[in-house]
Amino acid sequence: MSSGKKKGFKIEPFKHPVKMDPSYGEKTWKVLEDAIHEINNHNASGLSFEELYRNAYNMVINKFGDRLYNGLVETETAHLRQIAAKVEAAQGEGFLKELKLRWEHHNKSMQMVRDILMYMDRIYVKHQNKAPVTQLGLDLWRDCVVRRRGIRDRMLGMLLDLIHRERTGDIVDRALLRAITTMLMDLGPSVYSEDFEQHFLLKTAEFYQVEAQEYLGSSTCSDYLRKAERRLAEETERTINYLDPSSEPKVTRVVEDELVKKQMRALVEMEESGLVPMLQQDKYEDLGRMYTLFRRVEGALDLMRSVLGDHVKETGRRLINDPERTKDPVDFVHKLLEEKDKYDRIIGAAFNSDKSFHNVLNTAFEHFLNLSPRAPEYISLFMDDQLRKALKGSNEDDVDATLDRVMMLFRYLQEKDVFEKYYKQHLAKRLLSGRAVSDEAERSLLVKLKTECGYQFTSKLESMFTDIKTSRDTMQDYKSIRRAAATSAASSADDTDIDLFVQVLTTGSWPTQTAAKCNLPRELERCCEEFKAFYLASHSGRKLSWQTNMGHADMKASFGEKRHELNVSTYQMVILLLFNEADSLSYRDILSATGIPPADLKRSLQSLACVKGKNVLRKEPMSKDIGESDVFIYNAGFHSKFYKVKIGTVSAQKETEPEKQETRQKVEEDRKPQIEAAVVRIMKARRVLDHNSIVAEVTRQLSARFLPNPTVIKKRIESLIEREFLERDPNDRKLYRYLA
Amino acid sequence: MGRRQTATKAAPKEQDKSEALFNLYKDANEDSIGPEGVEHLCSDLKVDPSSRQVLLLAWKMEAQRMGFFSREEFSRGLRALNATTVDKLRKALPKLEEEVDSNPAAFSSFFTFAFKFCLTEPRQKIIDIETAVLMLSIAMPPSEPHLDPFISFLQSQKEYKAINLDQWTSFQRFAEEVKPDCSNFDESQAWPLLLDNYVEHVKKQQQENL
């Protein structure tokens, strides 16, 4: 305005001088203050909203915003102090109710006040960065009421007490609780947390700590788990009903910690109802409950897994060391399969088919199965039994399913080469026992083995089958030729009482037989020669040697009036034929006449003379065992209900101790070149390698067949050093070098 | 008899002397010193034919056959020891022993020689335990703490009937590196199994003595 003079003439706009009443601010505030008082006292009906709004508006416009805001704070503070005193005065149960009621009133009042002071909220509060009316109301309520010394602790105490009472079975006013917790949450998450939640969680932990001890002392594991499950559900329900949803994971965590995590070991190890007894008694429901509860806390499933693993290992170990159980191999494997099924069912039904549990189970089975040095033999014997059953007309699908399960056990074997040895022996017996073998079942098992271990593993087994088939064809040719010869040379002095059947086996594919040929009777010898001539005529350059220890024969014999057909081994036939010439022969006579190895001879004689109902010979003196000085006599009084009598058994039997040793030794011998080959293969590629890496690599390469012993590997390496395939590094003791 | 070697003209005088010495012990039928000659030489040197010093001499000569020194070997040995007379040779031998025991490389060469010296048959690669024990007690310095326990272990064990070069030289390294009580034996180093067994044997005895 003053600058106007310098610039000369200037028209000024008309100004109406506003005379401001100096006490305007105070006066207007007085009106508003009165109104607020009325509102707080629920007497708002007589107030004019429009007028009050304008007053507040004018105060802000006329820069009395400060006065207005501060006045509001003072008035409300004073009011709330009075309210707090009233709340504090409330007795017992009434306290929380009073608090709730006053809170509701306060909210309603503040809403109205906010409406009146809307303009202040929009302009003054915004510019001055102050709390808007609603927030102010909350803050004041928090500071003047909720956090007042006489209220804060009492409120908390009552809340916790109510919750405790509900936990112990009382019915409480949930709506009231809900109102209070909502109030705390409205005052801000930090108020809810500091003034309530933290204490609540502590109390919860305390409560369940005590309860866990009580439960442990009084309940079985199964009851405990049920209770824990119920408690967890209750706590969830509680939060839904009257706590803030954000508390749910926290309180659940606390309960899980107290009831499950801290007690898991005690639970699992409970004497008569813990995990092991549950497993033993197949308590699917309880196990399932344990699994779902334990899955919620860290480390608990690990504990379950380790206890499960140890338990399976322990029962397995006991099974394997139980001489009663291992007496019958077939029964033993059955038992193993049952165990496996049992745990598979448990994992399926109770543990949600959890992969990690299956892994533990597999490891445990592998562990204990390989503790038994006879496991490979027994598994092969079991398969033998199944395949014979398949032949006897059991349902082929059943047999196949059982074989599938046995393959599972087979997979656990570390010494697959030992199994192969036995399987080969047993297969040979099956194939040679003469009775038709169930081709389909055999082949299907062979395919399974092939899938598991590869072509190499089964190639020899397959060639055994081929031999049998080829032999059948050869015999057909041979017989037709002989028939032709017989009819053309009708003279036929050749009394063809003997029906020869030869099986030509490839050396190397079949289990090695060291037995020498025994002395065959003249008639038979001629047959053999004839066949030999026939065979070599079409397969020149081959060599045939007779394995008389593997054959069998059907022969007709007469005992007085009665005639029987005897089914015997070739050895037994040779022995019995001697009795065509004499009625009584000494052991030594028989030995020298037949040339059968003594061990086999004794066994053959034993089944001819010492088995009741099949004793076609009599022995002097009568005893169970065969002595060198015994004498054998044709038993003219032999009788049997059956026309056909089967003597001696060819079915596979458990090996005796020396036989087992022998097989073991053979296996060890066979392993040597395999280990050496592996070492050379590795060293050829790597040139220089340290000892431990070689051992690890060899073990890995051979693991499909067997688990080589580190000492044996070392021995093989030393042998290779001696033969100058390798040398030691002159400087580093750990290293070997490959010598090309 | 009349053949003379004139290959080395550098030191004809020494050559002559060693030739003369060689001829003194030479076998009548062969151009080398035979067992009798060796025995004769040993008695002149005043040493036991089966002593360490004689083995050392053989090593210096790089002798190929036990009980024989060829003309070439003999002169090589004398040259290496710088000796031309029996007297000088006698004095040189204790020095040689000292040198071998103080120089690991020389000892290692000598020790390996001792094994190969025992291989009498063509393509022979191992020596039986009895020979090995005998040879060990000659080749190893008597102060070696592993010597007696190892020998008694070799005699008591049944797994090995013979020793190969690898085991032999490994024992020498073993004696060099491993303390008498085997406390610093490291299994992860690839010692031959024989030595693993030996350590096991020693440790077992230690326990029994506790």
Side-chain angles (χ1 to χ4, degrees):
Chain A
M1 272 184 274
S2 59
S3 64
K5 283 175 188 165
K6 280 179 192 171
K7 288 193 177 176
F9 181 78
K10 192 178 176 192
I11 297 171
E12 287 204 1
F14 171 74
K15 265 189 190 170
H16 182 73
V18 179
K19 279 265 167 95
M20 192 66 159
D21 182 356
S23 62
Y24 170 77
E26 277 310 312
K27 272 188 193 157
T28 321
W29 166 242
K30 192 79 189 93
V31 173
L32 283 168
E33 189 187 15
D34 286 346
I36 291 172
H37 271 304
E38 291 303 311
I39 291 172
N40 280 342
N41 292 328
H42 321 301
N43 247 341
S45 51
L47 299 173
S48 156
F49 170 78
E50 198 260 326
E51 182 198 333
L52 292 170
Y53 182 88
R54 199 171 54 237
N55 279 336
Y57 173 84
N58 283 335
M59 276 187 85
V60 174
I61 288 286
N62 292 312
K63 309 213 177 351
F64 289 106
D66 274 343
R67 181 74 192 91
L68 180 59
Y69 193 85
N70 291 338
L72 175 66
V73 173
E74 274 164 38
T75 315
E76 279 303 321
T77 308
H79 169 67
L80 288 179
R81 289 225 170 94
Q82 284 172 15
I83 295 293
K86 281 185 190 151
V87 171
E88 212 178 323
Q91 292 300 309
E93 298 269 314
F95 172 75
L96 286 182
K97 282 186 186 144
E98 183 69 18
L99 183 63
K100 176 190 169 213
L101 187 71
R102 294 297 176 181
W103 163 248
E104 281 162 3
H105 288 166
H106 174 69
N107 272 345
K108 232 180 263 166
S109 313
M110 284 318 286
Q111 206 170 349
M112 284 190 219
V113 173
R114 190 200 61 198
D115 289 348
I116 299 167
L117 304 182
M118 187 93 74
Y119 192 72
M120 180 185 81
D121 256 359
R122 277 199 353 234
I123 305 298
Y124 174 81
V125 164
K126 216 172 178 184
H127 285 191
Q128 303 291 316
N129 256 339
K130 302 223 172 186
V133 175
T134 314
Q135 186 58 48
L136 182 71
L138 294 173
D139 289 351
L140 289 174
W141 178 264
R142 179 190 69 202
D143 296 337
C144 299
V145 181
V146 170
R147 287 195 169 162
R148 185 184 168 106
R149 204 168 330 133
I151 292 179
R152 184 186 190 159
D153 295 346
R154 209 164 141 207
M155 173 191 76
L156 178 65
M158 289 190 79
L159 283 175
L160 295 180
D161 183 54
L162 283 173
I163 292 174
H164 180 81
R165 271 163 51 198
E166 194 185 44
R167 277 181 181 148
T168 50
D170 278 3
I171 291 178
V172 298
D173 186 349
R174 289 185 157 196
L176 180 61
L177 281 162
R178 177 163 194 88
I180 303 292
T181 54
T182 319
M183 171 190 84
L184 292 171
M185 204 58 202
D186 286 346
L187 294 177
S190 70
V191 178
Y192 176 78
S193 158
E194 281 165 36
D195 289 16
F196 169 70
E197 194 187 35
Q198 287 174 6
H199 307 276
F200 164 69
L201 293 177
L202 277 177
K203 254 292 190 282
T204 307
E206 247 168 61
F207 178 80
Y208 285 112
Q209 200 175 351
V210 173
E211 185 159 280
Q213 289 309 325
E214 263 169 37
Y215 283 176
L216 276 182
S218 63
S219 330
T220 60
C221 180
S222 145
D223 288 342
Y224 184 106
L225 293 172
R226 208 166 296 138
K227 284 178 188 164
E229 197 178 50
R230 202 172 55 227
R231 279 305 196 188
L232 278 162
E234 275 174 23
E235 290 300 329
T236 309
E237 197 221 336
R238 185 181 337 281
T239 26
I240 290 170
N241 269 308
Y242 58 82
L243 299 182
D244 190 74
S246 69
S247 293
E248 204 267 342
K250 295 180 202 162
V251 71
T252 306
R253 167 107 292 190
V254 168
V255 182
E256 282 168 357
D257 277 0
E258 292 302 331
L259 286 186
V260 183
K261 194 171 179 181
K262 288 190 182 162
Q263 306 301 343
M264 63 186 180
R265 193 159 283 278
L267 284 170
V268 163
E269 286 167 1
M270 270 174 113
E271 197 75 5
E272 301 203 336
S273 59
L275 180 53
V276 170
M278 283 183 191
L279 291 170
Q280 280 167 339
Q281 294 156 27
D282 292 326
K283 300 214 159 159
Y284 297 143
E285 200 188 318
D286 292 339
L287 287 165
R289 187 168 289 122
M290 183 178 261
Y291 177 79
T292 31
L293 277 176
F294 276 33
R295 195 165 51 167
R296 305 171 75 134
V297 307
E298 196 188 323
L301 285 189
D302 289 338
L303 177 70
M304 274 179 88
R305 276 191 288 266
S306 95
V307 170
L308 172 74
D310 289 348
H311 174 66
V312 175
K313 277 182 200 165
E314 179 54 30
T315 39
R317 207 179 49 77
R318 244 180 289 146
L319 183 69
I320 273 171
N321 292 335
D322 183 351
E324 273 306 302
R325 286 272 179 227
T326 45
K327 232 185 346 200
D328 180 0
V330 176
D331 188 51
F332 172 74
V333 176
H334 258 305
K335 187 79 190 129
L336 285 180
L337 287 176
E338 274 169 27
E339 283 287 296
K340 181 75 170 60
D341 283 353
K342 171 191 164 93
Y343 290 107
D344 278 341
R345 268 200 303 274
I346 288 179
I347 292 175
F351 299 159
N352 196 22
S353 298
D354 191 324
K355 257 222 165 78
S356 62
F357 277 79
H358 274 300
N359 290 344
V360 166
L361 186 63
N362 288 339
T363 317
F365 262 83
E366 190 175 330
H367 169 84
F368 80 74
L369 193 62
N370 285 301
L371 288 178
S372 159
R374 309 205 72 160
E377 183 189 352
Y378 289 179
I379 289 177
S380 173
L381 278 170
F382 181 84
M383 289 175 172
D384 186 71
D385 182 68
Q386 286 297 314
L387 290 165
R388 282 169 197 277
K389 262 193 198 151
L391 184 71
K392 280 181 193 150
S394 327
N395 187 339
E396 288 215 0
D397 289 344
D398 285 356
V399 171
D400 205 57
T402 316
L403 287 178
D404 268 335
R405 284 163 59 210
V406 187
M407 283 307 292
M408 200 166 56
L409 293 179
F410 169 76
R411 237 164 269 153
Y412 296 138
L413 286 180
Q414 279 164 354
E415 299 190 305
K416 296 204 172 61
D417 57 341
V418 179
F419 168 85
E420 190 196 356
K421 273 242 145 46
Y422 285 111
Y423 189 77
K424 211 161 143 185
Q425 273 173 27
H426 298 152
L427 176 64
K429 277 188 188 157
R430 285 200 296 279
L431 290 175
L432 296 179
S433 66
R435 263 144 281 161
V437 176
S438 160
D439 233 32
E440 208 168 309
E442 290 281 359
R443 294 243 172 232
S444 118
L445 183 53
L446 211 56
V447 170
K448 290 191 217 303
L449 289 170
K450 198 171 178 175
T451 333
E452 203 60 47
C453 298
Y455 167 76
Q456 263 189 322
F457 195 83
T458 51
S459 66
K460 290 201 171 154
L461 304 177
E462 278 173 35
S463 90
M464 287 165 75
F465 279 99
T466 317
D467 279 350
I468 294 299
K469 195 174 168 299
T470 319
S471 296
R472 233 177 273 145
D473 297 345
T474 311
M475 280 323 287
Q476 253 169 17
D477 291 350
Y478 176 62
K479 279 189 182 145
S480 61
I481 285 175
R482 268 183 56 99
R483 249 196 316 276
T487 39
S488 67
S491 60
S492 177
D494 183 344
D495 57 298
T496 346
D497 243 339
I498 302 169
D499 185 10
L500 183 72
F501 188 89
V502 184
Q503 282 166 323
V504 185
L505 314 179
T506 314
T507 315
S509 298
W510 294 71
T512 23
Q513 297 291 343
T514 43
K517 185 188 162 197
C518 69
N519 301 325
L520 293 173
R522 209 166 11 83
E523 311 90 302
L524 199 59
E525 193 68 58
R526 207 189 56 231
C527 286
C528 291
E529 285 307 318
E530 267 173 32
F531 176 80
K532 199 167 171 178
F534 158 79
Y535 185 79
L536 294 181
S538 54
H539 301 89
S540 63
R542 292 196 186 173
K543 193 168 163 268
L544 281 182
S545 58
W546 298 92
Q547 299 280 343
T548 42
N549 55 334
M550 311 276 285
H552 59 96
D554 292 333
M555 53 197 298
K556 293 195 177 94
S558 40
F559 300 91
E561 298 292 289
K562 275 183 277 184
R563 293 174 64 83
H564 285 286
E565 194 177 299
L566 304 179
N567 177 278
V568 295
S569 72
T570 305
Y571 280 156
Q572 287 164 340
M573 171 196 73
V574 173
I575 296 166
L576 288 179
L577 286 175
L578 292 177
F579 288 88
N580 279 342
E581 318 288 330
D583 278 351
S584 143
L585 288 165
S586 76
Y587 171 82
R588 289 200 186 81
D589 291 341
I590 299 175
L591 183 65
S592 66
T594 59
I596 298 172
D600 288 328
L601 178 59
K602 279 183 186 167
R603 221 177 308 157
S604 305
L605 282 170
Q606 208 163 16
S607 38
L608 286 172
C610 304
V611 181
K612 224 179 151 210
K614 295 180 177 178
N615 50 335
V616 290
L617 295 179
R618 270 189 307 122
K619 185 168 87 77
E620 292 286 344
M622 289 286 280
S623 64
K624 278 261 169 215
D625 295 310
I626 307 293
E628 306 247 324
S629 54
D630 290 354
V631 174
F632 296 87
I633 302 137
Y634 156 67
N635 183 7
F638 172 78
H639 68 92
S640 169
K641 279 184 279 183
F642 307 102
Y643 172 67
K644 277 192 177 181
V645 181
K646 185 171 176 291
I647 292 173
T649 170
V650 282
S651 95
Q653 292 288 314
K654 199 167 113 175
E655 279 192 321
T656 59
E657 204 53 38
E659 277 173 334
K660 193 184 94 190
Q661 296 292 345
E662 202 189 312
T663 311
R664 188 82 229 168
Q665 219 171 0
K666 261 191 230 160
V667 168
E668 292 293 342
E669 276 309 311
D670 285 354
R671 283 179 183 181
K672 283 185 186 174
Q674 294 186 50
I675 295 174
E676 286 185 1
V679 171
V680 171
R681 224 168 20 238
I682 293 161
M683 289 305 289
K684 202 167 175 180
R686 308 285 287 270
R687 314 308 287 189
V688 179
L689 200 62
D690 66 288
H691 180 75
N692 289 343
S693 307
I694 297 186
V695 173
E697 184 63 13
V698 169
T699 312
R700 196 187 62 73
Q701 283 197 6
L702 296 175
S703 63
R705 289 187 56 76
F706 61 93
L707 195 70
N709 180 333
T711 313
V712 176
I713 299 179
K714 200 171 192 184
K715 242 184 183 160
R716 290 298 100 212
I717 292 176
E718 280 175 38
S719 165
L720 288 169
I721 290 176
E722 200 178 311
R723 284 177 284 153
E724 291 171 9
F725 283 96
L726 306 178
E727 65 173 3
R728 288 180 200 280
D729 186 279
N731 303 314
D732 190 337
R733 277 238 134 275
K734 288 180 187 141
L735 294 184
Y736 300 112
R737 305 178 158 277
Y738 181 68
L739 295 171
Chain B
M1 265 274 248
R3 272 191 294 138
R4 284 193 54 128
Q5 288 195 337
T6 49
T8 46
K9 285 184 178 159
K13 212 175 164 194
E14 265 80 57
Q15 187 69 27
D16 286 347
K17 280 190 187 170
S18 85
E19 285 287 323
L21 207 57
F22 178 80
N23 290 333
L24 191 63
Y25 298 107
K26 195 181 99 58
D27 195 283
N29 308 321
E30 260 186 279
D31 194 28
S32 60
I33 299 175
E36 278 174 31
V38 172
E39 210 162 309
H40 191 183
L41 175 66
C42 289
S43 81
D44 286 351
L45 288 170
K46 301 197 171 63
V47 291
D48 184 345
S50 63
S51 74
R52 196 158 182 242
Q53 294 192 349
V54 177
L55 187 62
L56 282 161
L57 184 60
W59 168 56
K60 274 291 162 191
M61 291 180 180
E62 296 171 36
Q64 295 295 316
R65 274 167 78 196
M66 216 181 247
F68 292 88
F69 296 143
S70 74
R71 183 185 292 274
E72 195 194 338
E73 289 165 358
F74 190 76
S75 76
R76 178 163 52 212
L78 290 195
R79 220 170 16 220
L81 292 170
N82 205 6
T84 44
T85 64
V86 169
D87 238 19
K88 279 188 183 166
L89 195 56
R90 191 169 54 217
K91 282 175 190 150
L93 286 178
K95 267 188 221 152
L96 181 60
E97 192 166 2
E98 253 172 58
E99 186 209 324
V100 156
D101 285 344
S102 58
N103 176 352
F107 180 71
S108 161
S109 147
F110 164 64
F111 196 75
T112 308
F113 167 81
F115 181 87
K116 289 184 177 158
F117 198 49
C118 297
L119 302 175
T120 48
E121 304 298 319
R123 286 210 219 135
Q124 185 187 346
K125 280 190 174 164
I126 51 173
I127 60 177
D128 58 56
I129 291 286
E130 208 182 325
T131 316
V133 165
L134 211 66
M135 210 42 168
L136 269 177
S137 59
I138 298 172
M140 272 279 162
S143 58
E144 169 56 46
H146 278 300
L147 183 59
D148 286 340
F150 187 62
I151 285 178
S152 78
F153 162 72
L154 282 181
Q155 286 165 334
S156 66
Q157 57 86 31
K158 296 203 171 58
E159 205 178 334
Y160 294 90
K161 295 192 172 60
I163 298 281
N164 63 27
L165 180 63
D166 177 50
Q167 291 158 336
W168 179 265
T169 51
S170 292
F171 175 66
Q172 188 245 316
R173 272 168 94 159
F174 178 89
E176 215 173 274
E177 293 169 20
V178 180
K179 290 183 186 163
D181 63 355
C182 300
S183 56
N184 63 338
F185 181 77
D186 178 3
E187 265 183 64
S188 70
Q189 299 201 339
W191 295 100
L193 215 51
L194 178 72
L195 290 168
D196 287 345
N197 294 350
Y198 167 63
V199 172
E200 203 175 299
H201 173 81
V202 169
K203 296 215 160 142
K204 211 168 121 194
Q205 287 207 324
Q206 281 169 356
Q207 276 188 338
E208 278 167 13
N209 292 339
L210 276 179

